[in-house]
Amino acid sequence: MDSSTCSIASSITLPSGLVIPNRLCKAAMTEALGDEWGHSTDKLCRLYERWSEGGAGLLITGNVHVDRRYIERPGNVCIDGVQSPEQIELLKKYARAGQKHNNSKIFVQLSHAGRQSNGMINLNPVGPGDIRLDLPKAYFGTPTALTVEEIINVKNRMVDAAKVCKDCGFDGVQIHSAHGYLLS
């Protein structure tokens, strides 16, 4: 498609073959609407259904963490290890909510906060090294440098969480690798 026929309303086909119905994308934003166990909730599903109704072709979720020990804030959804049948059903409902209107697609942003793990949750974060974040009005502990085995564990958690997302009907994943999170 050349630029003369491309508009914000035109679809786009990704290399995987997935067709995004238009060029509007809701970027990842932390919702903090998960429950105290890191599960999806009806509030989160209602929010994504509304965003789907709003017409964005692609919705990217806020942080869905692969290790509940190292999350960005309370209320983050977690896909950490084997999921219970109840959590699988909640994740399926979450995926369907983001796909409910306008043929919208939903990608899960998989995250590991690393040294940016919230101090209200954990004052013993991990990272590529042991340098503490020094941000004003922020509450972070001093990280412990990951071992090779722990790095492999993080990789495996990402792979496992992506498989869960696929099995639950999400259209794709985005790996969070920005602004100080572990993979950045």
Side-chain angles (χ1 to χ4, degrees):
M1 177 181 297
D2 67 42
S3 61
S4 66
T5 60
C6 181
S7 76
I8 200 164
S10 62
S11 65
I12 185 169
T13 303
L14 302 182
S16 67
L18 181 70
V19 178
I20 308 293
N22 61 51
R23 307 298 173 107
L24 295 174
C25 175
K26 193 268 322 157
M29 298 180 286
T30 293
E31 303 94 7
L33 292 175
D35 69 15
E36 60 270 25
W37 298 282
H39 296 160
S40 178
T41 62
D42 286 337
K43 285 181 180 179
L44 192 58
C45 291
R46 279 193 303 277
L47 178 63
Y48 275 84
E49 184 176 336
R50 293 288 300 271
W51 277 330
S52 172
E53 186 177 25
L58 176 61
L59 306 172
I60 303 175
T61 72
N63 295 306
V64 172
H65 286 277
V66 300
D67 192 328
R68 69 185 66 255
R69 297 171 298 174
Y70 309 110
I71 65 175
E72 176 259 345
R73 73 177 60 222
N76 287 145
V77 172
C78 298
I79 299 176
D80 182 1
V82 176
Q83 303 298 292
S84 70
E86 295 82 15
Q87 170 67 336
I88 292 293
E89 288 309 310
L90 290 167
L91 289 167
K92 287 178 178 179
K93 184 177 177 182
Y94 188 8
R96 288 189 305 268
Q99 299 160 335
K100 189 161 186 177
H101 302 282
N102 306 305
N103 199 27
S104 59
K105 307 300 184 216
I106 184 169
F107 284 15
V108 173
Q109 184 187 64
L110 294 178
S111 300
H112 188 301
R115 71 180 189 159
Q116 282 188 211
S117 297
N118 192 300
M120 292 186 293
I121 305 296
N122 186 346
L123 278 173
N124 298 298
V126 294
D130 60 0
I131 299 172
R132 184 182 172 281
L133 279 174
D134 187 20
L135 298 173
K137 297 184 182 180
Y139 192 52
F140 302 108
T142 300
T144 301
L146 289 164
T147 65
V148 170
E149 293 80 21
E150 290 168 324
I151 293 168
I152 292 168
N153 179 266
V154 171
K155 178 197 72 135
N156 291 338
R157 287 171 178 273
M158 290 282 181
V159 169
D160 292 343
K163 288 177 182 176
V164 168
C165 291
K166 180 179 182 193
D167 292 345
C168 289
F170 290 95
D171 297 296
V173 295
Q174 176 191 68
I175 306 298
H176 193 316
S177 300
H179 57 79
Y181 275 44
L182 182 63
L183 299 183
S184 70

